[in-house]
Amino acid sequence: MRLSKIFIPTTKEAPADAVIPSHVLMMRAGMIRPLAAGIYSFLPFGYRMIKKVCEIIRREMDAIGGQEFHLPALNPKEIWEKTGRVEAFGDILFHVKNRDYVLAPTHEEIIAEIAANHVKSYRDLPQIWYQIQTKFRNEPRPRSGVIRGRQFLMKDSYSLDRDWEGLDKSYELHAEAYRKIFSACKLKFFEVGASSGAMGGTGSQEFMVESEAGEDTCVICDNCGYAANVEIAKANSTPYKRDDNSESLKEIHTPNVKTIDELAEFLKIPTTKCAKSRVYIHNDTPILVLMLGNDEVNEEKLRIALGAGKIRPAHPEELSEITGADAGSIGPIETNLQIIADIKLKGANNMVSGANKNDYHISGIDFDRDLSNIKYYDIHYVQEGDLCVNCKSPLRVVKAIELGHIFKLGTKYSEALGAKFLDEKGEEHPIVMGSYGIGVERIIACLIEQNHDEKGIIWPKEIAPFQVHLIGVNMKNDEIRSTCEKLYFEMNESDIEVLYDDREDVSAGYKFNDADLIGIPLQVIVGEKNLAKNKVEIKHRATGNKKLVEIGLLIRTLQDELFLP
Ligand code: ATP
Ligand code: MG
């Protein structure tokens, strides 16, 4: 491809709303242009990368027996009502005004509908159906460029099985395919188990990339590979170091003391001698939750610990009726509430907490001696430096971007839409489904997040829009031009993907800056001085290393560098 012909509008600056490196560089390298908030056009250079990523995805999906579909994005609303998801998606769902249609944010419903009409017998199962298609979600905060768009490309696949064992297999096939896809895309990723939330499944896993631009927080152990979303991450908790002697309970007047920091300051004790009390409502029943010092309640862990049901923090106006005191003076002594305490408090003594009387606290609380109606669970957030549950190495807490998600859906959608099959005995069962998604644009953005410097993008050799960037330093020089034309021809003949900067009216410095910005892994520079010695220069974009090569040996050298046969 000649740079004089391909439309790559590079720029020196990026618009002010582009703050993260991938957004800035995709704009500057002429890959994308915004149309409206969260809506982007992919220009030819950007779209080349989309096609490369899709090729890898298709290869791996086909390898696990996936069959490619193309489902409509415009869906009758009725079908989404059958599964209750018009309500579940709420404002995220785009509605089409003049008819009862919605723009699909995902495709479980349509797959279940096709299965309901056309999958009849156990002989038709299992199936893996996938597509790569545009999804629409009216994200409340579209940002970070294509990482959170309101229209984006997703590879979504769906498995149809006769039973849960079948689903387990389809799920594992996907997990393995996902690892291959992200590895082939040269991404450093990690996997976390996740709670499947609104999708209504029973098992799910997310594939994440560590990035400052991420909106998820994860806990990672660099030693053994343990990783989890902070919502459910566990750490090795060290047992509480009890004082040798337990004091007796004592009520203390603590005027205007509300927070743990104020309490510790007032009594001149460490915050780890204070127990923070929070009231939650679990299925209409109030419970008292105790945390060590300033630890926050991890509500997801609390929800899991309590098993089924709904949970919410009590409203401030409910507190005094439930406990006799306002926030800041609530505590575990003289209460009838069920107490749920964080595991870090097990065995604690000489603790201070609220007295259930405004402006009073109680000291000398011995958790073993004084609190009977109490259960201990791990309900705190893991913090940087806590020790890994598996190997006790220090954990890191990092921001991360979700690249892909695999869910065991079960029968929610097949039951709502009547997707059933007959078994060998003629008995009818709902099809057991799985659902699996990958964000195509996110792969590209994450690749840039992980591979760039102050000059621009640095595509890995294995996945780049082009492999070689051929630069004629001065195209008005006949010898340079004819050498470049010859090399360009030879590279194309040898199946090397080459972008050829044949522009006449652009200075050498400008060409070099553009080359570093758009980041093709190998640059071949044809200049007057080296040409006189019958040589050209190869520059590695990643390291900046340069070497001179005999023109006659160039193609072989490039093939070796690019691991081509
Ligand atoms: P997030 O938590 O980031 O909103 P999600 O849980 O809503 O993601 P899924 O419904 O599981 O995402 O969609 C599958 C994949 O589609 C995600 O893993 C992600 O790579 C991609 N994706 C989801 N929402 C967007 C978006 N708004 N823009 C770009 N890609 C997206
Ligand atoms: Mg989302």
Side-chain angles (χ1 to χ4, degrees), residues 30 55 62 146 156 185 220 272 279 393 413 435 524:
E55 201 179 293
D62 292 346
V146 298
D156 45 326
C185 291
I220 302 185
T272 48
V279 179
S393 303
Y413 298 93
S435 140
V524 171

Side-chain angles (χ1 to χ4, degrees), residues 352-409:
V352 182
S353 196
N356 293 322
K357 186 162 115 184
N358 282 345
D359 289 340
Y360 285 88
H361 280 82
I362 291 184
S363 68
I365 303 172
D366 182 332
F367 275 60
D368 288 348
R369 181 191 65 196
D370 304 323
L371 308 178
S372 49
N373 193 16
I374 188 165
K375 288 183 185 156
Y376 295 91
Y377 297 102
D378 171 353
I379 50 170
H380 60 268
Y381 282 99
V382 172
Q383 284 161 7
E384 181 88 20
D386 284 357
L387 301 183
C388 175
V389 262
N390 297 335
C391 72
K392 298 197 178 163
S393 303
L395 294 165
R396 286 193 303 129
V397 178
V398 301
K399 289 270 172 230
I401 298 172
E402 178 193 317
L403 278 183
H405 203 165
I406 57 179
F407 297 97
K408 290 184 185 174
L409 288 177

Side-chain angles (χ1 to χ4, degrees), residues 253-273:
H253 187 45
T254 50
N256 295 322
V257 168
K258 300 264 183 270
T259 66
I260 291 292
D261 287 334
E262 286 164 1
L263 184 63
E265 169 71 24
F266 185 83
L267 297 175
K268 303 276 175 281
I269 54 172
T271 54
T272 48
K273 279 285 153 200

